[in-house]
Amino acid sequence: MDTARGWIRTCRSLCVLTGAGVSAESGVPTFRGPQGLWKEKDPMSLATPEAFAEDPKEVWEWYQWRRQRIRGCAPNPGHAALAAVEAAKPDFLLVTQNVDGLHRAAGSRRVAEIHGSIWVVRCTGCGAEREERDDFPELPPRCDGCGGLRRPGVVWFGEMLPREESDAAMEMLSRCEVLIVAGTSAVVAPASGYAALARRHGARVIEVNPDETPVSGICDATIRGKSGDVLPALCYPRSS
Ligand code: NAD
Ligand code: ZN
């Protein structure tokens, strides 16, 4: 822990990769747990373009349910610690797989949301995109402009990552001195390969997760614990 804290304190260039685990203590369910299920359905079968093509109403009902749950959630001390450490670093990027917007709500500014945002809604007809936080009275929602079907502005399994976010992430992973990987099971590509990429380019990799993951073996430090406890301990300078 002390060694890892030292790496974070002294580096100039810091990258952080987060996943659903970082929001778990805020009450947002992760996908891979009993809480993540909806009507006994596996999220992996709903978060796909095929599911949307087949039954857009059902996919939207699931998103509306998730949006309602997330609306009542606030950032936790893990989010706050990452926003604080950003302020101290000239070169910083927070790469998140989370779609809940809690990093920005905590004050993080240099954020690449590589899986999009659950608050953004995009028209499949004309491409118009808007942030919209309220519930839709009728599902699936339709576009005012072209009447097309609107979809959640998130990246589904099998889809490409948004170009700008993904490029920014790759560039940062090739130049950062330290990478923190927090709250991700590291099984969803391409983020699953990010730790190895950073390491190949010489970064120290620190994992924060209560459980072992497929990337644990290549990390320079693994800290087993909840991100709401561990990230504040790692990121704030000791008050002595
Ligand atoms: P995941 O559900 O696959 O894995 C969550 C990881 O977090 C696990 O390794 C678990 O051990 C760990 N974890 C659980 N509680 C934790 C805590 N308190 N502190 C630290 N770690 C904790 O999540 P993933 O790797 O992000 O992949 C799932 C995909 O689903 C992502 O692509 C993401 O876009 C999406 N998703 C997003 C949200 C969100 O926005 N909050 C929620 C669920 C799923
Ligand atoms: Zn449209």
Side-chain angles (χ1 to χ4, degrees):
M1 182 74 169
D2 280 343
T3 311
R5 191 194 279 120
W7 294 337
I8 293 168
R9 196 184 57 239
T10 54
C11 74
R12 224 194 126 267
S13 177
L14 175 66
C15 185
V16 184
L17 171 65
T18 64
V22 164
S23 293
E25 289 156 88
S26 293
V28 182
T30 60
F31 273 5
R32 292 172 185 77
Q35 289 265 299
L37 296 178
W38 175 76
K39 295 188 179 170
E40 307 290 305
K41 288 200 174 159
D42 180 355
M44 309 300 157
S45 69
L46 291 161
T48 65
E50 292 77 21
F52 188 71
E54 192 166 310
D55 195 343
K57 186 164 195 277
E58 172 165 64
V59 170
W60 258 114
E61 280 167 358
W62 177 56
Y63 275 94
Q64 186 119 302
W65 173 78
R66 289 179 65 203
R67 284 161 57 101
Q68 285 164 354
R69 288 194 68 146
I70 297 171
R71 220 176 270 134
C73 296
N76 67 57
H79 294 108
L82 293 178
V85 78
E86 172 180 350
K89 296 296 168 192
D91 191 26
F92 179 91
L93 188 66
L94 172 50
V95 179
T96 187
Q97 302 170 84
N98 295 345
V99 298
D100 54 35
L102 291 180
H103 283 302
R104 284 184 199 280
S108 289
R109 287 297 165 262
R110 286 173 275 175
V111 184
E113 292 178 311
I114 58 170
H115 289 171
S117 166
I118 201 162
W119 305 115
V120 168
V121 184
R122 185 168 72 239
C123 175
T124 59
C126 68
E129 204 172 84
R130 236 191 0 246
E131 190 171 304
E132 247 171 87
R133 295 203 163 235
D134 294 337
D135 275 353
F136 296 99
E138 239 180 277
L139 294 176
R142 297 236 159 226
C143 176
D144 310 331
C146 77
L149 197 56
R150 301 175 79 205
R151 60 164 280 177
V154 301
V155 177
W156 284 325
F157 292 103
E159 291 185 322
M160 302 268 290
L161 300 192
R163 186 61 186 272
E164 209 175 301
E165 277 74 12
S166 140
D167 285 354
M170 298 299 272
E171 278 166 29
M172 186 57 174
L173 289 158
S174 343
R175 71 167 188 267
C176 65
E177 294 155 58
V178 176
L179 169 67
I180 304 174
V181 181
T184 173
S185 60
V187 295
V188 179
S192 51
Y194 284 178
L197 175 69
R199 199 141 197 280
R200 271 202 305 284
H201 284 90
R204 308 242 194 220
V205 181
I206 304 164
E207 178 175 65
V208 178
N209 200 306
D211 294 323
E212 195 173 329
T213 75
V215 303
S216 300
I218 62 153
C219 292
D220 298 278
T222 50
I223 299 164
R224 297 271 162 262
K226 294 183 171 184
S227 51
D229 298 329
V230 176
L231 290 175
L234 271 180
C235 294
Y236 294 122
R238 237 195 302 220
S239 57
S240 57

